[in-house]
Structure formats: structure tokens, C-alpha cells
């Protein structure tokens, strides 16, 4: 009870208490602890028992919080460097004034010019934080012009890519045609964990299937040499044609709404054309053999959610590689397709192209790092005639289209901002993919359905834009008949994959949707698991 009752604690005006404390400290340093020390310490003192009832605890906590806030704002750059999981929203929430925002931005700009040089993913995080601060205090500060954080993500993906510097001759004859066919993919679990920079920093785990639709390969690409001295692009499904004669035309490939953007970017990546504007395209085409006709075909609409864009990109690169005689290499093709997506500013991950390039139903995993080399583990998915999965699984095109780019940008921006909910969801996606694969290994269809249902909830959690009112209405209309349902890919439209509770329930769902389609484009597709994957043929 002695210390509790001992009157040790000086109480008074702040200036008086500090002056007395400093005097006592000086006297103690000189060894003057006699009468002078006692005289200096005669201010009013209380014991803890007397002080605590008098303390304004709310004010004390508020002062401590304010001191902590001020210290945090003095060390924004250091905190970003030392805490990879620091939420950007937490930093923004600590800033109260335009002046504080300006000081924080100045610290972060110094980080970009210093410790973050040559570290594109760190730079992407910093730029995302700077953008959030600038947006929050736009009315109070002159916000600096900032590059896109997504451009730094693209730089990270392309770290190990070296563009071709010299033109090369074709490895096919003028009367030969290179023909590439490929399935599309349905993702059952783990999507988003494959998206840069998530996979680059944390590794990815995805379970998906290569599928044919209505018995056909939905994506096909053909290439043939010509003598016209130009590149002629054609899209069979869109009915579009374009003739290209300059390097500048090919370098204009960043608009995802341009139907030819993918082909133009692939021609540069594959080394058919130069990557530098000052080099004439005619010189490269002459070395190739005169010119090139490139024809692309996709039987699915853009925004279908079946990985069509990435898979078409992989097919184009594989086709052009064969034109140049580049040996087929799966790892290279996956990496080049990821770079292609980033160059087009669509920013997709690797699961789409792996899903189409490699056959069957497989668990795809990568380790953290810029080189996302995949490891594969196949599982059983019996779609033979009369099998339970064949009878219960349905694939329905909703007639709604949405570009995955918008959803991708939302998720990647949230991840770069280190949104705690997104970080938790990413880990849950990977764990769920492993569990869903194990259910298929055990031929546990109910367990597989539970994994698919869990995946759909995680998709909606990581980005609410994955669904919308019309989609939810469609799903609700058959919820009593389904054990699980999801929208493949980024969601927001496209296809619905459903697992009915029984074969009879599957027939009732089909009858209901066929009798009352939500629009003129909605329809069922028969699908089967493909056992071949991407195939390159020379005719």
C-alpha cells in the first residue's frame, strides 16, 4: 500500500511541472540532492490513490492518440517500407488537413525517387496510396500528376521479357497454313489468386477445367504468309478486316475496345514486327517472307467470363511462334500471354491461358516471385454420358456482357491499397481451391458443390461488382434446384455454371430458362472436359 499512498506525483500547470522536473534533473546530474533539491521539489504532490479519481481518462487517451497520429504522419514513408500489410485507408484516415496530406505526399514522392527505385510492386503500392490521399484531399491541395499504379504492375510482370531486336525469316512455306485450336476454361475455385501482383507476391492456387462447347473448340487462329508486303488482320466472328503497313499502327494496341489490339500486341511480342517506332515494318516483313495474313476466331462474345481474351492471346502467340519456328514451350507461352494482357492494359492473371493451353481439370499453383512458373496436379471429372456430373452440371449464357478489365482494376487497386478484407479473401481463395480439388479426388460431388458455392461467395466478397441485380434474380429463380452456382471469370455477366441437386432438377432448370429467357441472347451450351488442350498444326 506504500507506493499507492505515497505522494510522489507532481500536479500543477504544465509549464511549472516541466520547469521543476528539469531543475531536479540538473541538480541530480550535479549530485545536489540536499536542501536545494528539496526546495526545488516543493510543488504540490499527490499519491496514485489521489490522482486517479481526478484524471480525465477520455482526454488522456485522446491526447495519446493524437501524439501517436502525429508520430505516424512523420513516418509515413518508413511505415510503408517496413509494413507490407499497412492499409492505405489507415494512413488516409490519419490525415486531417491539406497541409498534412501535402507532407505525406512529399515523403512518398521521396520514397519513389529513392528506396523504391527498381522495385515496381513497391512503387505500385506507393502510387496507390498517393492516389488515395490526393483523391481524399483534392479540394485542399494541388495534387501531383501521378503515373498509374497498374503500369508498375505491368512492369513487374515484364521484368524478364526482352523484345526481339532483329527480324527473322519464316519457318513455313508460302503455301502452308499454321492452324491453332484451343478450348476455353471454367474456373471452379481460387480465381483472383492468379492475378498480378497478387500471385507475384503471394503465389496463386486455382482449380479450373479446359472445356469444349457444343462439341467444338471455341477459339481458333490461322496464319499464312502473303506477298503483299503488309500484315492483314481478320476476325471471322466480328466480320472485321484491317491492313497494317507501319510500326506505329502496331504500337497502337492499348485500347481494349479495339478488336485488333490483341493481335497487334502479339505481333510485337512474338517478334514478327519491331518494338521500336523508328524501325520500319517493311524491313521486318521482307525478312519474314513478304507479309502475313492472321485470322482469328472466337465463337464466344467478349466478356463471356470463360477466359476467351487471354486464351485467344495464347493461341495467337503460339501461332506466330510456329510461323517463326520457335519451339513450343508451355511456360514461355503462359508468361508471354500474361505480358500481352498487361500491355493491353487488361491486367489478367495466368489461370485463363493455363486453363485453355493445358487439358483436363487441374489444380494450378505458383510460388511467389516475378517468374510465375506453374505446377499442375490433375484430378478426375467424369463427364461421360450418363455420369452424375454430366447430368447435374449446366452452363448457361446470360446474354449480359461486361469487360473483366473494370473488375480487375477494382480488385488490384484494393489489393495494392492493402485492404484487409481483400488480403483475407485471397488466402481463403487458395485454401478453398485445395479443398475443392480434394473433393473431386474423392469423387465427392457434394463436397465439390460446396467448394463451388464457397468460391462464388468469395468472389462477391472480393468485388461486389462480380454480380448484379439481374444475375441475382436469375440465380434466385432456380436456387431451390441448385446445389451451387457461380459466374466463371471476373463475373458481372457472361456464363453461369450450375450444379443441380439432381438430374431431374437439372431438367427443370433447363425447361424454366428455355421457357423464360432473360433476353434474346441467353441460351444453354453443352460442354465437355477437353483432353487435348491447345493444339498447333501446319497444313
Amino acid at each position: 500500500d506504500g507506493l499507492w499512498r505515497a505522494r510522489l506525483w507532481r500536479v500543477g500547470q504544465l509549464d511549472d511541472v516541466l520547469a521543476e522536473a528539469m531543475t531536479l534533473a540538473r541538480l541530480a546530474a550535479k549530485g545536489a540532492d540536499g536542501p536545494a533539491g528539496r526546495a526545488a521539489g516543493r510543488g504540490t504532490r499527490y499519491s496514485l490513490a489521489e490522482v486517479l479519481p481526478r484524471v480525465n481518462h477520455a482526454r488522456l487517451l485522446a491526447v495519446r492518440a493524437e501524439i501517436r497520429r502525429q508520430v505516424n504522419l512523420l513516418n509515413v514513408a518508413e511505415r510503408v517500407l517496413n509494413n507490407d500489410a499497412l492499409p492505405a485507408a489507415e494512413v488516409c484516415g490519419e490525415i486531417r488537413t491539406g497541409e498534412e496530406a501535402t507532407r505525406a505526399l512529399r515523403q512518398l514522392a521521396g520514397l519513389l525517387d529513392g528506396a523504391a527505385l527498381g522495385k515496381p510492386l513497391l512503387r505500385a503500392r506507393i502510387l496507390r496510396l498517393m492516389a488515395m490521399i490526393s483523391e481524399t484531399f483534392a479540394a485542399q491541395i494541388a495534387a501531383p500528376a501521378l503515373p498509374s499504379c497498374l503500369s508498375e504492375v505491368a512492369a513487374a510482370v515484364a521484368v524478364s521479357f526482352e523484345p526481339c531486336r532483329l527480324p527473322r525469316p519464316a519457318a513455313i512455306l508460302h503455301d502452308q497454313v499454321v492452324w491453332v485450336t484451343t478450348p476455353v476454361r471454367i474456373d471452379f475455385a481460387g480465381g483472383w489468386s492468379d492475378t498480378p501482383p497478387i500471385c507475384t507476391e503471394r503465389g496463386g492456387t486455382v482449380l479450373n477445367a479446359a472445356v469444349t462447347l457444343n462439341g467444338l473448340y471455341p477459339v481458333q487462329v490461322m496464319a499464312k504468309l502473303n506477298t503483299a508486303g503488309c500484315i492483314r488482320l481478320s476476325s471471322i466472328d466480328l466480320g472485321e478486316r484491317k491492313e497494317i503497313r507501319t510500326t506505329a499502327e502496331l504500337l497502337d494496341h492499348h485500347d481494349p475496345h479495339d478488336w485488333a489490339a490483341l493481335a497487334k500486341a502479339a505481333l510485337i511480342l512474338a517478334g514478327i514486327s519491331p518494338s521500336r517506332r523508328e524501325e520500319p515494318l517493311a524491313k521486318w516483313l521482307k525478312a519474314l517472307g513478304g507479309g502475313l495474313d492472321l485470322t482469328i476466331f472466337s465463337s464466344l462474345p467478349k466478356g463471356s467470363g470463360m477466359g476467351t481474351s487471354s486464351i485467344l492471346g495464347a493461341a495467337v502467340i503460339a501461332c506466330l511462334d510456329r510461323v517463326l519456328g520457335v519451339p513450343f514451350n508451355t511456360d514461355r507461352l503462359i508468361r508471354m500471354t500474361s505480358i500481352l494482357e498487361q500491355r493491353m492494359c487488361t491486367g489478367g492473371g495466368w489461370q485463363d491461358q493455363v486453363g485453355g493451353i493445358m487439358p483436363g481439370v487441374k489444380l494450378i499453383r505458383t510460388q511467389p516471385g516475378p517468374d510465375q512458373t506453374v505446377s499442375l496436379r490433375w484430378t478426375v471429372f467424369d463427364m461421360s454420358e450418363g455420369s452424375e456430373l454430366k447430368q447435374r452440371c449446366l452452363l448457361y449464357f446470360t446474354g449480359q456482357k461486361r469487360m473483366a478489365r473494370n473488375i480487375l482494376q477494382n480488385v488490384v487497386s484494393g489489393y495494392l491499397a492493402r485492404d484487409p478484407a481483400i488480403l483475407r479473401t485471397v488466402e481463403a481463395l487458395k485454401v478453398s481451391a485445395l479443398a475443392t480439388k480434394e473433393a473431386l479426388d474423392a469423387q465427392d460431388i457434394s463436397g465439390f458443390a460446396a467448394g463451388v458455392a464457397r468460391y462464388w461467395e468469395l468472389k462477391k466478397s472480393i468485388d461486389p461488382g462480380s454480380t448484379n441485380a439481374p444475375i441475382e434474380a436469375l440465380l434466385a429463380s432456380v436456387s431451390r434446384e441448385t446445389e451451387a452456382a457461380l459466374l466463371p471469370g471476373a463475373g458481372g455477366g457472361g456464363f453461369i455454371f450450375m450444379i443441380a441437386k439432381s438430374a431431374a432438377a437439372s431438367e427443370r432448370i433447363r425447361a424454366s430458362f428455355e421457357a423464360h429467357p432473360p433476353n434474346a441472347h441467353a441460351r444453354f451450351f453443352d460442354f465437355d472436359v477437353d483432353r487435348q488442350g491447345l493444339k498447333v498444326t501446319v497444313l
Side-chain angles (χ1 to χ4, degrees), residues 3-15:
L3 288 176
W4 178 247
R5 298 292 178 184
R7 289 180 170 172
L8 303 174
W9 303 96
R10 176 72 167 88
V11 176
Q13 294 296 319
L14 179 61
D15 290 344

Side-chain angles (χ1 to χ4, degrees), residues 202-379:
R202 299 168 188 270
T205 305
V206 178
L207 179 70
N208 72 19
V211 297
T212 55
L213 300 180
N214 295 337
L216 301 173
Y217 287 101
V219 175
Q220 302 187 28
V221 177
M222 288 159 280
K224 187 179 186 298
L225 296 175
N226 68 43
T227 57
C230 65
I231 295 173
R232 295 188 295 224
L233 303 179
S234 303
S235 170
I236 294 175
D237 51 295
L238 297 177
E240 296 277 4
R241 291 176 60 85
K242 181 170 287 190
E243 188 173 288
I244 295 173
R245 293 185 176 273
T246 67
T247 303
E249 291 175 273
L250 285 175
L251 289 171
D252 181 21
H253 57 247
H254 298 293
D255 180 5
H257 298 284
D258 176 9
W259 72 269
L262 183 149
K264 290 191 287 188
L267 284 160
I268 294 172
L269 280 178
I272 294 287
S273 66
S275 59
R276 292 174 292 188
R277 189 178 297 269
E278 62 271 17
E279 290 197 55
L281 177 61
K283 174 185 173 183
W284 285 59
L285 293 180
K286 183 178 179 181
L288 182 71
L292 187 74
D293 292 335
L294 182 65
T295 302
I296 59 178
F297 169 70
S298 169
S299 63
L300 296 180
K302 206 166 190 177
S304 67
M306 303 287 279
T308 310
S309 176
S310 296
I311 293 170
L312 180 60
V316 172
I317 292 173
C319 185
L320 298 176
D321 277 352
R322 181 60 187 87
V323 168
L324 292 170
V326 176
F328 184 84
N329 180 283
T330 300
D331 291 337
R332 176 185 180 277
L333 185 56
I334 293 167
R335 183 172 61 85
M336 293 289 281
T337 309
S338 294
I339 296 171
L340 178 66
E341 290 269 299
Q342 296 294 337
R343 285 202 164 201
M344 293 173 60
C345 303
T346 50
W350 42 251
Q351 75 128 326
D352 293 348
Q353 53 265 34
V354 180
I357 293 168
M358 305 303 293
V361 179
K362 60 273 182 189
L363 185 77
I364 315 161
R365 304 184 77 177
T366 64
Q367 297 300 315
D371 187 8
Q372 287 286 289
T373 300
V374 301
S375 64
L376 302 171
R377 287 164 51 197
W378 277 266
T379 187

Side-chain angles (χ1 to χ4, degrees), residues 76-84 86 88 91-92 104-134 144 146-150 152-153 201 413 415-418:
V76 170
E78 183 180 346
R79 291 163 66 204
V80 170
L81 276 178
N82 295 335
N83 182 3
D84 181 71
L86 177 67
V91 177
C92 289
L105 288 171
R106 195 176 296 126
Q107 287 186 60
L108 294 169
L111 204 54
L112 287 175
D113 294 333
L117 284 174
K119 300 176 181 177
L121 294 184
L122 174 58
R123 294 177 65 83
R125 275 183 60 214
I126 295 167
L127 287 169
R128 180 62 190 138
L129 174 55
M130 292 178 75
M132 289 176 65
I133 294 171
S134 298
L146 298 172
S148 167
C149 60
L150 298 179
E152 294 292 343
V153 174
E201 295 185 326
S413 294
Y415 173 78
L416 289 173
R418 294 304 192 253

Side-chain angles (χ1 to χ4, degrees), residues 55-65:
V55 171
N56 183 333
H57 294 282
R59 185 182 173 202
L60 176 64
L61 292 173
V63 169
R64 290 185 65 182

Side-chain angles (χ1 to χ4, degrees), residues 391 394 477-478 480-482 500-516 524:
Q391 295 180 67
L394 294 164
S477 70
V478 293
R480 293 184 178 181
E481 304 282 14
T482 55
K501 291 182 176 179
S502 65
S506 175
E507 290 302 319
R508 288 192 292 270
I509 293 170
R510 186 179 289 272
S512 174
F513 279 4
E514 287 178 344
H516 306 286
F524 281 99

